[in-house]
């Protein structure tokens, strides 16, 4: 799917502790796992040369903008309200267009084909985490994180009776803000709102027989950047 690169529209920052002085006994280690949904900010190419019924392609592009994600992280926390750690995020999108009519430019014939695409992103990198207790109950925390790492792309495409695997890699960034609520001193749930910035300008394509590397032009970069929300489990150790 050809996509245009857009500037990020969401600015998320690290929130350091609101106060270095606190009466609470702060945790030393935080582990979390979450899952949720995302929405890609890039748009697909609306009209493809040779395709007669572009409505089917437009629907597939809309489906490709909806992502499911899983993520996990672990942080060592200091009493000052921040800590270093590591972040992992997995993202999946897919789209399908059936009975696409293609003009093969011989002034006599058309081809009817099914097209589908499945895209997978894996992101991992070091991360900086900020947290601050909310109120006096010591079971609600405002959190934020900023991660800079590497992202891998795997795209499986089927079109015109051919299957193609597209792979690539590039540096990326993920920023999140959220709330953690603890049911016990160690265990709770949390909600996050985040932004993943990742795009790919160099890819490798193979159909199982031939393999070629390609540098995409600016208007054809694969842009996996998206806004995402998630809900998951939180585990605090040494409170």
């Amino acid at each position: 799917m050809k996509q245009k690169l857009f500037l990020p529209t969401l600015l998320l920052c690290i929130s350091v502790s609101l106060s270095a002085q606190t009466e609470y006994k702060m945790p030393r280690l935080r582990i979390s796992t979450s899952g949720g949904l995302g929405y890609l900010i890039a748009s697909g190419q609306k009209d493809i040369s040779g395709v007669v019924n572009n409505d089917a392609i437009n629907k597939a592009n809309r489906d490709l903008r909806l992502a499911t994600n899983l993520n996990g992280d672990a942080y060592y926390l200091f009493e000052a309200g921040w800590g270093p750690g590591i972040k992992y995020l997995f993202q999946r999108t897919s789209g399908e267009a059936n009975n696409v009519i293609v003009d093969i430019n011989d002034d006599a014939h058309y081809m009817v084909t099914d097209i589908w695409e499945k895209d997978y992103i894996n992101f991992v990198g070091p991360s900086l985490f900020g947290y601050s207790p909310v109120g006096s109950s010591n079971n609600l925390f405002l959190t934020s994180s900023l991660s800079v790492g590497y992202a891998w792309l795997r795209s499986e495409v089927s079109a015109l009776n051919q299957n193609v695997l597209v792979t690539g890699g590039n540096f990326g960034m993920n920023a999140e803000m959220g709330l953690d609520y603890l049911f016990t001193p160690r265990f709770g749930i949390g909600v996050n709102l985040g932004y993943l910035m990742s795009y790919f300008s160099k890819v490798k394509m193979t159909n199982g027989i031939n393999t070629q590397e390609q540098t995409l032009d600016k208007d054809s970069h694969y842009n996996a950047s998206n806004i995402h929300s998630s809900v998951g489990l939180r585990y605090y150790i040494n409170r």
Side-chain angles (χ1 to χ4, degrees):
M1 180 178 69
K2 284 189 175 182
Q3 302 192 356
K4 298 178 181 179
L5 179 63
F6 286 83
L7 293 176
T9 58
L10 179 64
L11 179 61
L12 293 174
C13 304
I14 290 278
S15 68
V16 186
S17 175
L18 297 178
S19 174
Q21 302 296 325
T22 177
E23 62 184 68
Y24 303 133
K25 181 180 179 182
M26 291 298 187
R28 283 291 176 266
L29 185 66
R30 177 187 181 273
I31 301 173
S32 78
T33 58
S34 303
L37 300 174
Y39 186 77
L40 275 67
I41 64 173
S43 62
Q45 184 176 354
K46 293 183 178 180
D47 296 319
I48 299 178
S49 177
V51 174
V52 176
N53 54 339
N54 274 290
D55 288 345
I57 300 298
N58 294 337
K59 180 183 180 301
N61 283 334
R62 290 193 298 268
D63 292 342
L64 281 167
R65 298 182 73 175
L66 300 177
T68 56
N69 71 74
L70 298 172
N71 65 81
D73 51 52
Y75 296 98
Y76 182 84
L77 306 179
F78 300 112
E79 290 187 2
W82 66 277
I86 188 169
K87 178 77 174 182
Y88 169 77
L89 189 146
F90 170 79
Q91 172 183 297
R92 178 185 183 274
T93 63
S94 63
E96 183 177 3
N98 297 318
N99 300 319
V100 177
I101 303 172
V102 181
D103 185 354
I104 59 176
N105 296 320
D106 66 351
D107 296 325
H109 299 91
Y110 292 90
M111 177 182 292
V112 179
T113 184
D114 294 337
I115 299 174
W116 57 262
E117 180 177 339
K118 298 178 182 178
D119 300 332
Y120 307 90
I121 301 293
N122 286 277
F123 169 86
V124 65
S127 183
L128 194 61
F129 180 80
Y131 69 103
S132 178
V134 178
S136 58
S137 60
N138 199 24
N139 62 354
L140 186 63
F141 288 87
L142 176 67
T143 67
S144 64
S145 66
L146 178 65
S147 311
V148 179
Y150 201 78
W152 291 267
L153 165 69
R154 177 184 175 90
S155 180
E156 302 169 359
V157 182
S158 178
L160 301 177
N161 299 319
Q162 295 188 28
N163 295 326
V164 178
L165 174 64
V166 181
T167 57
N170 201 2
F171 291 100
M173 182 184 73
N174 184 73
E176 295 182 0
M177 296 185 68
L179 282 173
D180 288 358
Y181 180 81
L182 302 184
F183 299 112
T184 72
R186 292 188 176 182
F187 183 75
I189 62 172
V191 294
N192 280 349
L193 176 65
Y195 173 70
L196 173 68
M197 184 177 69
S198 179
Y199 68 93
F200 304 88
S201 59
K202 295 182 179 180
V203 297
K204 180 183 292 186
M205 298 181 294
T206 179
N207 60 4
I209 300 175
N210 300 315
T211 300
Q212 66 176 10
E213 294 185 358
Q214 183 174 352
T215 299
L216 305 176
D217 59 53
K218 183 178 179 181
D219 292 333
S220 300
H221 288 175
Y222 182 89
N223 187 357
S225 302
N226 72 94
I227 301 169
H228 56 87
S229 61
S230 61
V231 179
L233 302 177
R234 308 291 186 261
Y235 188 56
Y236 285 84
I237 300 176
N238 292 337
R239 285 183 55 85

